[in-house]
Structures are given as structure tokens and as C-alpha cells.
Amino acid sequence: MNKKIIGSFLASVMIASTTTISAFAAMGSGTVVIGTKAFDLTYANDPLNFKEINSAIVDGGMVYVKDFNGKWINNINGLAAEISSIPAVIYKNATQKISFDAADLDAKVTTTINSAAQILAATQAVVKAEISKVQADVDAANASVIALANAEQSKIRADLLSRLNLIKVTNVTTPIVITPTVDVTAPILNSVSLTIGQPVLATKDASGNFKVSLATAKATDMFTDLKLNTSEKATAKITCLGRTKTFTINDAGDVTIPVSELLGSYASAAGISVGTLKGYLGLLGNSITLNATLTDAAGNASTKTIVIAAN
């Protein structure tokens, strides 16, 4: 392989001596690439540089030669090589070293291309902001312009920033402030019923107080519980015959209270007969009044009365 490459160098020397080699935007015609190193053919064929060239060959890597038509040739098979196959290299001739990126691009040219792409992107962002006048677009454009940090870009950056400063944002979005809803409504006592064999509904007056009569109930009927329905989950503090107890009303607004919880020793766990209850009511003016205070989770409270009358 060494003999073939050196032979190629020697054959090229005669041509190279009559050809001007350019090495600005790309490596010039009459260049050999050995691995990650590249040499001007005149330099490569100089006996004084033989040791350096031989060392590059020993290091390994593909070998490409750029002919004097500017075409890259694979030195192994003699066929044309795609420019994309040329690796990044350090190019060397008798007077200078130049870094070239892959695909035969001068590193300086690559930087220029990247800079141009940045400028284009920033300019497009500014134009978009000028048209839309949306704050988000202005902010995005400003970030793109600020990113133009190279010295060569400074004037363009200043011009673009001036254009951004002239934009008057017309669709400023006012933040939506959601005010938490404060519960200020007290629970409402919707209905009251006594279970005396079957439900007996109490009558509700205009003030929201209730009254139920035992007039139609049989003396042997058993009064077993009191049912309340309210507008929301709450607690019910009920005072009856000097006793006060608190009960929990469920999410549906319902609670069932055994009579024994209301009347204490006046009733058994099974309840109290209507006849017995009427006997007690006769001693108490023919009725008893239950004071029911409903309180919700927010602390809102309302108090209503429930009158149980003998007649």
C-alpha cells in the first residue's frame, strides 16, 4: 500500500508543479488525505517530509486524492469518492496548517455557515413578531437575537433589537384570576318525618319551622325514629327535653335519629308507643319542641324548630 501511495505522490508532483493550489473554502486540487491528515502533494512528495508522510500512512485510515479537476478519488480502488466520505482533517503544506471540517469544508467556512443560519433564524423570528405583535413571539425573537454573540454579528444584532423595540404588543393577555368561592350559605332543613309504622311528614311553615301531629296515629303505633333531610352535608345539634345531642348528616343530606337518642329514658331502644308519648305530652302542654341547629363544613349555621303535638 505504501508503494502505491508514494507512487501516486510522485506521479502527481509533475502535475502539481504546474498547477496553482487553492486552500480557502475547501482543500485545493492536488491534495492527499491520509486518515485525519491532509497534505499538499508537493509537500507530500518532498523527500524531507517522507518520514512524516510514512508515519501518517502507518497510523492508518482511508486515503483519498483530490485530482486537478477538483474530484475526490479513492486511492485504494481508483474510483470517485463521495465528498461526504472525506473526514475532518488538519491540512498541511509548506507554509501553513488549516483545519478542515468533514466533507472538505474549511472550519472558517463552517463557522460562517452556522453564523448565517443563526442570523436567518433571528431575522425570521423578528419578522414574525412584527407581524403578530404577540408578546410570546417578541420574547422568542429577543432570545434568538441575543444569541447572536459573534463580533461579526454585532451590527445585525443591534439592528434587530432596534426593530424589536419598535413593536407595540397589541394583544396583551390579562391573567385570569380565579377567586375561590366562599361558602356563606347555611344548610337548609328541607323535610322532617316521624316513623310511626310508616313515615308521617311534618308541615313546614313560611319561616322554615316544622310541626307534626299525632292526632291520627293509633295509641299502639310505635314511634321509632326521626328523619331529617337537609340541603347539604352538615351536623345537626338537637335539643329536646333538656338533652342536647349532635348527629352527622351524610353527603345526601339525610340522617335518621332513633327516638331513644332524642327522648332518653322516656323511650326504649324499640321506640315509644304513641299512647305513651301522648301521655307525656299531656303533662307538657300537649307538645314538645325540638331545637335543631344545622352547621356545615364552612361553619354556616341555621336553627329551626320541630314541634311534635298530641293533636
Side-chain angles (χ1 to χ4, degrees), residues 14-84:
M14 296 176 63
I15 303 174
S17 64
T18 61
T19 306
T20 301
I21 298 175
S22 171
F24 177 62
M27 287 179 276
S29 301
T31 296
V32 60
V33 168
I34 308 172
T36 58
K37 297 178 181 179
F39 304 95
D40 164 50
L41 282 175
T42 300
Y43 180 90
N45 284 287
D46 187 332
L48 295 176
N49 302 320
F50 178 78
K51 183 176 180 180
E52 180 182 0
I53 302 304
N54 190 61
S55 177
I57 295 171
V58 171
D59 288 342
M62 293 297 294
V63 178
Y64 301 96
V65 176
K66 192 172 191 179
D67 66 17
F68 294 102
N69 292 317
K71 304 296 183 182
W72 283 102
I73 305 298
N74 185 317
N75 191 69
I76 301 299
N77 55 29
L79 300 177
E82 293 291 336
I83 193 169
S84 59

Side-chain angles (χ1 to χ4, degrees), residues 25-258:
M27 287 179 276
S29 301
T31 296
V32 60
V33 168
I34 308 172
T36 58
K37 297 178 181 179
F39 304 95
D40 164 50
L41 282 175
T42 300
Y43 180 90
N45 284 287
D46 187 332
L48 295 176
N49 302 320
F50 178 78
K51 183 176 180 180
E52 180 182 0
I53 302 304
N54 190 61
S55 177
I57 295 171
V58 171
D59 288 342
M62 293 297 294
V63 178
Y64 301 96
V65 176
K66 192 172 191 179
D67 66 17
F68 294 102
N69 292 317
K71 304 296 183 182
W72 283 102
I73 305 298
N74 185 317
N75 191 69
I76 301 299
N77 55 29
L79 300 177
E82 293 291 336
I83 193 169
S84 59
S85 63
I86 307 303
V89 297
I90 301 296
Y91 171 89
K92 189 174 183 181
N93 60 23
T95 60
Q96 61 185 161
K97 286 184 179 181
I98 304 174
S99 294
F100 284 88
D101 287 341
D104 194 13
L105 284 176
D106 186 347
K108 181 177 180 180
V109 173
T110 302
T111 300
T112 301
I113 291 173
N114 291 338
S115 176
Q118 279 186 306
I119 292 171
L120 176 61
T123 303
Q124 290 174 332
V126 171
V127 171
K128 180 180 179 182
E130 288 174 329
I131 294 172
S132 72
K133 294 181 173 58
V134 174
Q135 186 62 54
D137 290 342
V138 173
D139 293 341
N142 187 68
S144 294
V145 173
I146 293 299
L148 301 177
N150 293 340
E152 296 85 352
Q153 300 170 332
S154 59
K155 185 179 185 304
I156 295 173
R157 178 176 59 184
D159 291 341
L160 292 177
L161 287 175
S162 296
R163 288 170 60 179
L164 284 175
N165 290 333
L166 294 175
I167 298 175
K168 294 182 179 180
V169 177
T170 58
N171 59 340
V172 177
T173 302
T174 302
I176 299 174
V177 178
I178 300 176
T179 303
T181 302
V182 179
D183 181 4
V184 295
T185 304
I188 299 171
L189 184 56
N190 294 325
S191 65
V192 176
S193 66
L194 280 61
T195 302
I196 305 176
Q198 60 184 1
V200 178
L201 288 174
T203 302
K204 185 177 184 179
D205 64 20
S207 299
N209 297 309
F210 290 82
K211 182 178 181 179
V212 62
S213 172
L214 302 177
T216 60
K218 296 178 182 179
T220 56
D221 289 342
M222 294 295 292
F223 174 24
T224 56
D225 57 58
L226 175 74
K227 295 182 184 295
L228 307 181
N229 176 263
T230 64
S231 60
E232 61 180 303
K233 182 178 181 179
T235 59
K237 184 172 72 172
I238 298 179
T239 301
C240 176
L241 298 176
R243 291 166 51 87
T244 299
K245 297 202 72 172
T246 300
F247 306 93
T248 299
I249 300 170
N250 64 24
D251 291 342
D254 296 320
V255 63
T256 298
I257 305 170

Side-chain angles (χ1 to χ4, degrees), residues 219 266 272-281:
Y266 290 99
I272 186 171
S273 69
V274 171
T276 301
L277 179 56
K278 282 185 176 181
Y280 290 139
L281 295 179

